[in-house]
Amino acid sequence: MRVWTLLLLLLLLLLRSDAVHSDSEYLIGVGSYDITGPAADVNMMGYANAEQIASGVHFRLRARAFIVAQPEGNRVVFVNLDACMASQLVVIKVIERLKARYGDLYTEKNVAISGIHTHAGPGGYLQYVVYIVTSLGFVRQSFDVIVDGIVNTVVQAHENLRPGSIFVNKGELLDAGVNRSPSAYLNNPEAERSKYKYNVDKEMTLLKFVDDEWGPSGSFNWFATHGTSMSRTNSLISGDNKGAAARFMEDWFERKGSVRMDSVGLENDGIPRRISNIIPNVHDTFSLSYSRVVLTKTQGITRHAKPPNKEYAKPKISRTEDHKLLEIAASFQSPPGKPATKISSVARRVRGVLRQVDKPKFVSAFCQSNCGDVSPNVLGAFCIDTGRPCDFNHSTCGGKNELCYGRGPGYPDEFESTRIIGERQFRKAVELFNGASEQIKGKVDFRHAFIDLSQLEVNLSRVGVSEVVKTCPAAMGFAFAAGTTDGPGAFDFKQGDDQGNPFWKLVRNLIKTPGKEQIDCQHPKPILLDTGEMKLPYDWAPSILPIQILRVGQFVILSVPGEFTTMAGRRLRDAVRTVLSGNKGFGSNIHVVIAGLTNTYSQYVTTYEEYEMQRYEGASTLYGPHTLSAYIQEFTKLARALISGQPVEPGPQPPDLLDKQISLLTPVVMDATPIGVKFGDCSSDVPKNSTFKRGDMVSVTFWSACPRNDLMTEGTFSLVEFLQGKTTWVSAYDDDDFCLRFKWSRPFKLSSHSKATIEWRIPQDATPGVYRIKHFGAAKGLLGSIRHFAGSSSAFVVA
């Protein structure tokens, strides 16, 4: 009888096991890893501004990935990078490493790697000359950290694969993007424009991943707006508005999921932070009818945490309590800098401390779409000399493009604009996440091909007349050099130029004179740089490009290697949707999203009509006026193969140019401090007996060393610590926090002396108490040895 009882219990346990018995159609895994590159000396990718050199961190960059697999079938991987764009060379090396680890489980066919298009990340990681000129060539450190980060992210997602469900939702977000080239958009047929309410796509589409055991594990959404809230003069590494939105949402979920008896954070209605061990232990927790109140006793002060989603008075301290705190703070003066270990900054990181070891970390990604003509600077473009709107057709001010700038919603504060546009995307994503009810069901599949866009034949049909045209070798027009209202160019270039300038044509001809066939093919674009035919010291621009479709049930991702404009993206989506809608395997409710800047980068794709206007986007459409038609033709081939179950020809392989890369970036020779000064010593401390209020800026400067010596991957350069009790310092804010900035500088370029300034804008919901600021760094000796160090400020009071 006892044996039968044991067998029955075993059977019940097996039936309750998610690993054995699950109604889920998919295995789902998510992952995330630090890809913050060198925070010094390296040119930033995006604006092509040679003077925009990294010198610190606004907040750290990450790779985020999801894997969806059918237990006995196909799987797909989507990686979203806090980077300007994907790199063909990065993809090649990532796939090599994944194949070495997993065989043919993950290949270029079922792995998509996409960039959010921040213009505030280190450059030098692409393989074509035109994209690494301003970074003084290839930057191995930028390249390696991205490759390593992607591989680690995919490995995490793979190891997290568990039974789960996927839900989709979509909705309009009206105030996070405007069209920065409306005159080009207006050149599209009126009948086509009349089908749409707006001249940019306002729809956000979100996937919600739900683990069978743990509940929600992640969300990825696609929405079109440029990563240009941070300006062309910013020098701090930043994920811009989409990177900020991702952090806000991950913080929101961690906060939402961390409200427990044993570890709880103070609620707030502003931008949230992740729960961390900054929050004192809860000694008394109880619930009221409509809210939660937390009482904490720390440093002799009683604080009340505000109820969720309710207005509340900020915690205040009396004069007596302030005096007690100042006495405590006075006992913690800035000590001399001291040696540290390589993992010191990793160990002190704020985030993830309270996460259960066996529970997957919640991952949220804000992915890029057809953002080609979409600006986050939603107040419009104005002349900085007069304050008047810029010229409509050419985006100039008195004929000069350099004076025309777009304004973000936080103008003139670019950090505030980044926060606002990020918050708007975050809030829409939370709304869609909470309301997601349509479940994804059906096959997992994919199709991928390489195409040579330098000479592709395209079949065009117009009003019953068919003709065959060709794409062209890559070339950039004169308006490319004019830049955009997000980041104007220089000299006398202007948008909307379909003629060119005799002087600049002469300069162009000294580099490479385009032939008649190329000039005719690219017409009406006047060629400034004939990049597709420039081969010294190696290829200046790509010609072989990847196209890819990923399918998860009724959800379809079109991976495109460039920036499609609004109307170009609409035409591509509609063409693919038309093919798929005729197949019963998809049903009628198909969700098709464009993942821009994916798997490699080839600049812009406009419609034929927008190309004729030769604004920046048209001048940057590399392969001529029929580029979009070529993409539509080739993507519809993939779509037909997807529904028929037939394979596609892989196409020509792109080159691996790693061995040909040239780098002119000066290495770090050595770091030093003045005589009698140690690395980590305070150069400029907080004032003695300081009390700050929320909203104040606290600034501390340390003697430091070049951040290129150690990128502090999954660690932090800067840290704000909170005094718990009278002796224990706990981590409160670090490089991942929007309120903390790490700024690095040296007196002149080749100086071995340098300083790090850490600025902390005290959040409105900061807990009153005693704080200090800490800095982690690594110094390079004359013989190449690396010595890690740490420094601390004197303690101060936040009242």
Side-chain angles (χ1 to χ4, degrees), residues 51-66:
E51 296 178 357
Q52 189 189 12
I53 305 297
S55 62
V57 176
H58 177 208
F59 58 88
R60 298 188 77 85
L61 310 179
R62 300 196 72 80
R64 298 172 171 91
F66 72 77

Side-chain angles (χ1 to χ4, degrees), residues 6-18 20-21:
L6 289 172
L7 288 173
L8 181 61
L9 288 171
L10 181 61
L11 178 63
L12 288 171
L13 286 171
L14 288 172
L15 288 173
R16 289 174 60 87
S17 171
D18 288 328
V20 177
H21 176 76

Side-chain angles (χ1 to χ4, degrees), residues 209-288:
F209 301 106
V210 182
D211 185 284
D212 276 1
E213 179 180 357
W214 294 108
S217 60
S219 71
F220 279 57
N221 70 72
W222 288 261
F223 177 77
T225 194
H226 249 74
T228 49
S229 292
M230 301 297 289
S231 74
R232 68 190 299 273
T233 59
N234 162 64
S235 64
L236 301 185
I237 290 174
S238 174
D240 210 276
N241 57 71
K242 285 188 177 290
R247 276 157 177 71
F248 297 161
M249 187 146 184
E250 288 172 347
D251 287 1
W252 165 79
F253 187 85
E254 291 291 332
R255 180 180 296 278
K256 187 168 75 80
S258 297
V259 179
R260 299 192 189 94
M261 295 287 289
D262 58 341
S263 58
V264 63
L266 303 181
E267 306 290 339
N268 75 77
D269 287 332
I271 292 300
R273 286 193 315 101
R274 288 186 210 187
I275 290 295
S276 72
N277 59 353
I278 156 187
I279 305 300
N281 291 328
V282 178
H283 299 295
D284 188 15
T285 305
F286 59 91
S287 296
L288 297 178

Side-chain angles (χ1 to χ4, degrees), residues 37-38 42-46 52 54 61 82-84 118-125 142 234 236-239:
V42 175
N43 183 250
M44 289 183 163
M45 183 62 197
Q52 189 189 12
L61 310 179
D82 286 347
C84 195
T118 174
H119 287 43
Y125 63 93
S142 293
N234 162 64
L236 301 185
I237 290 174
S238 174

